[in-house]
Amino acid sequence: MQIRNNDTALIVIDVQNDFCPGGALAVPDGDGIVGTANALMNAASHPVLTQDWHPAGHSSFASAHKGKEPFSTIELSYGTQALWPDHCVQHTHGAEFHPGLDAAAARHTVRKGFRQEIDSYSAFFENDRRTATGLHDYLSSHGIKAVACIGLATDFCVFYSVMDALSLGYRTAICEEACRAIDLEGSLEAARTAMRGKGAVEVSAAELLSSSTA
Ligand code: VGL
Ligand code: ZN
């Protein structure tokens, strides 16, 4: 897969301050992908960003549920939801893209998780698995047939985005050197197995950047 191709989009997932060291839900070495993400975005014909964008008191925050701790789970109307520290609250520093990310290189930004009662890991569908974010319509209207996913975190938002992209019929690649994981109770291995099993291919940044016909 090559991101210079007109029918291919690069989806850069949640490279935001709160997911980087020092942030409220820091992913280990989350900021270690910024340089590669910039190189890929600047080469891509269709770079798209996603931004986790929660209202204060969001239902995915442990603090919104009496007696609940972060990294536990709760049953919401649509099923089991993991509970997180407050993070990516709209219009706060934590919700901003990492300052080193060349966000201006993006052609489109998708905000997700802004409905009080529904979390959204995937760039395509919220956690009720029904509510669309609008990204599929956007990509379809631009003739996109293939997507390469990078960003934070491998085993949550990247994972759900990859699985939905496959379900929607996109040729789908993940570039793990440009991803970092939370890895909660084996979630990284489980995510890898599920992504491979459904047909996602692992690609290097070098391959995504190449323009060979091989
Ligand atoms: C994410 C947990 C909560 C992510 C977002 O970007 O992977 N994880 N919100
Ligand atoms: Zn979130």
Side-chain angles (χ1 to χ4, degrees):
M1 188 178 297
Q2 290 157 359
I3 52 178
R4 293 180 210 277
N5 291 351
N6 286 330
D7 73 345
T8 303
L10 174 73
I11 317 285
V12 181
I13 296 163
D14 297 3
V15 185
Q16 294 167 258
N17 288 323
D18 270 342
F19 297 123
C20 291
L25 181 42
V27 178
D29 194 38
D31 56 350
I33 67 169
V34 168
T36 308
N38 286 344
L40 292 170
M41 277 204 288
N42 281 285
S45 75
H46 221 104
V48 175
L49 296 175
T50 73
Q51 188 172 28
D52 212 36
W53 190 249
H54 300 309
H58 189 248
S59 56
S60 76
F61 297 171
S63 64
H65 305 277
K66 207 163 173 290
K68 285 291 190 177
E69 296 294 329
F71 309 107
S72 64
T73 60
I74 194 172
E75 294 303 316
L76 294 183
S77 60
Y78 51 80
T80 304
Q81 169 69 48
L83 294 174
W84 305 103
D86 292 21
H87 66 278
C88 297
V89 175
Q90 297 171 5
H91 306 290
T92 64
H93 174 77
E96 287 171 15
F97 294 114
H98 184 282
L101 188 75
D102 186 6
R107 286 181 61 175
H108 185 64
T109 298
V110 176
R111 286 176 166 169
K112 60 184 180 62
F114 53 79
R115 291 179 179 84
Q116 192 73 241
E117 304 306 326
I118 317 179
D119 199 8
S120 187
Y121 295 148
S122 167
F124 294 97
F125 292 103
E126 302 201 352
N127 287 11
D128 64 356
R129 314 313 298 139
R130 260 192 284 275
T131 306
T133 62
L135 180 58
H136 180 48
D137 284 346
Y138 175 85
L139 296 178
S140 304
S141 73
H142 285 84
I144 302 295
K145 304 277 185 249
V147 298
C149 296
I150 66 170
L152 308 173
T154 322
D155 43 343
F156 285 91
C157 289
V158 178
F159 166 60
Y160 279 86
S161 300
V162 164
M163 297 300 275
D164 282 348
L166 290 163
S167 294
L168 290 166
Y170 296 95
R171 277 196 298 123
T172 306
I174 175 170
C175 176
E176 276 212 41
E177 71 186 272
C179 297
R180 295 292 184 273
I182 296 176
D183 203 11
L184 213 59
E185 293 169 10
S187 55
L188 178 57
E189 258 331 293
R192 280 187 180 135
T193 303
M195 289 189 283
R196 305 273 140 79
K198 202 173 162 87
V201 295
E202 162 67 22
V203 287
S204 65
E207 182 186 341
L208 288 175
L209 290 166
S210 74
S211 38
S212 73
T213 51

